[in-house]
Amino acid sequence: MEKKIISTDKAPAAIGPYSQAIEVNGMVFTSGVIPVVPSTGEIPEGIEAQAKQAIGNLVALLGEAGVKPENVIKTVVFIKNMDDFSKINAIYSEFFKTDCPARSCVEVARLPKDVLIEIEAIGIK
């Protein structure tokens, strides 16, 4: 088994002892991605802007590994408030248009940097 570390400056840097993503046997597993603007470190205001940034960061990270959105097989979305579910769905559908991945969505008490959303994925090359 060959393990390859995936890293890009197009997504937020890891803020701890972990990798942005790992590729094993043609499968890519991402860490949780939050809505930090990679070039500035800023966090957008509001759930729509944060969802767009977080999912955009995730897609950029997956792209670095050679994974297209239609080849994502599973996502897990962590959100601060389940009342934001429909707003997040609207943004999510802009990135995952066809062959949508399986998905879980979980409301959590707190996320890193007190963001409103975090997303992780598994994709295939």
Side-chain angles (χ1 to χ4, degrees), residues 1-35:
M1 174 180 83
E2 182 182 330
K3 178 174 101 172
K4 178 181 175 187
I5 305 298
I6 307 297
S7 181
T8 181
D9 60 1
K10 297 175 186 166
I15 55 175
Y18 61 89
S19 299
Q20 287 175 303
I22 303 284
E23 179 185 339
V24 177
N25 297 331
M27 295 186 71
V28 176
F29 303 83
T30 74
S31 292
V33 180
I34 60 175

Side-chain angles (χ1 to χ4, degrees), residues 8-13 20 34-42 53 56-57 60:
T8 181
D9 60 1
K10 297 175 186 166
Q20 287 175 303
I34 60 175
V36 172
V37 177
S39 61
T40 66
E42 294 177 9
Q53 185 67 51
N57 289 344

Side-chain angles (χ1 to χ4, degrees), residues 40-113:
T40 66
E42 294 177 9
I43 297 169
E45 293 286 326
I47 189 58
E48 288 99 343
Q50 285 196 21
K52 190 169 208 152
Q53 185 67 51
I55 299 168
N57 289 344
L58 178 74
V59 169
L61 176 57
L62 289 164
E64 184 71 23
V67 177
K68 297 176 184 175
E70 59 269 20
N71 291 333
V72 174
I73 57 174
K74 171 73 173 165
T75 62
V76 181
V77 182
F78 304 95
I79 60 177
K80 178 76 174 153
N81 186 344
M82 195 58 77
D83 291 338
D84 291 330
F85 184 79
S86 62
K87 294 174 185 173
I88 293 165
N89 254 353
I91 303 297
Y92 187 94
S93 68
E94 293 176 14
F95 291 90
F96 299 104
K97 299 175 192 258
T98 60
D99 298 331
C100 296
R103 181 182 76 183
S104 301
C105 185
V106 182
E107 181 180 85
V108 296
R110 193 167 182 204
L111 291 165
K113 298 187 178 268

